[in-house]
Amino acid sequence: MSCFDADPNFCPECGTILPLPGTEDIVRCPGCSFCIPVAEFNGLEVCSAVIFNLVEQLSLARNKEEEDDSELKGPVIDRHCSRCNKEGMVYHTRQMRSADEGQTVFFTCIHCRYQEKEES
């Protein structure tokens, strides 16, 4: 027996979830080989619940994800926007043509969200 008091579903020595009692007289921890008699589980009641998410909660979560995606991401560089003439643009690159040609750089103004592209 262990010196520690723990939830009966967990090994009091290493914290591993104990397997369900089977046909043997003992339950053996798969993590540390700690043994506990099956009689220790007599009278224990296991309760569980299933909680379904409401449709409204799912749509709110999706809307929040879409708002997060609309936020500009990437490094800000010192480049003037050709539309608003303010400095500060975010860029990202994509390989739009064949692999032996250069990447296309897309710039987005952090102020007016105007997009420019530069092919190299």
Side-chain angles (χ1 to χ4, degrees):
M1 293 303 290
S2 174
C3 301
F4 301 103
D5 186 26
D7 185 296
N9 295 319
F10 296 92
C11 174
E13 295 295 322
C14 69
T16 302
I17 296 175
L18 292 173
L20 294 173
T23 57
E24 297 181 25
D25 293 338
I26 59 169
V27 174
R28 186 178 309 276
C29 174
C32 66
S33 299
F34 172 80
C35 295
I36 186 168
V38 172
E40 296 282 330
F41 293 93
N42 286 343
L44 289 180
E45 184 177 323
V46 177
C47 297
S48 62
V50 177
I51 300 172
F52 294 97
N53 293 328
L54 298 175
V55 174
E56 296 86 26
Q57 290 174 337
L58 292 174
S59 63
L60 288 174
R62 284 189 193 121
N63 290 340
K64 181 165 175 28
E65 288 175 6
E66 289 172 3
E67 289 172 7
D68 292 344
D69 289 343
S70 67
E71 186 178 313
L72 293 175
K73 297 176 185 164
V76 178
I77 59 167
D78 296 332
R79 180 180 170 117
H80 288 278
C81 174
S82 59
R83 179 192 278 172
C84 69
N85 204 29
K86 292 184 180 176
E87 191 171 299
M89 297 188 89
V90 173
Y91 75 93
H92 68 276
T93 60
R94 294 275 189 260
Q95 187 70 39
M96 303 299 286
R97 299 170 299 205
S98 62
D100 62 339
E101 297 183 34
Q103 294 185 18
T104 303
V105 182
F106 295 90
F107 298 95
T108 306
C109 177
I110 60 174
H111 304 285
C112 68
R113 295 185 183 258
Y114 178 70
Q115 291 188 342
E116 302 173 356
K117 73 176 179 179
E118 185 177 283
E119 297 179 25
S120 54

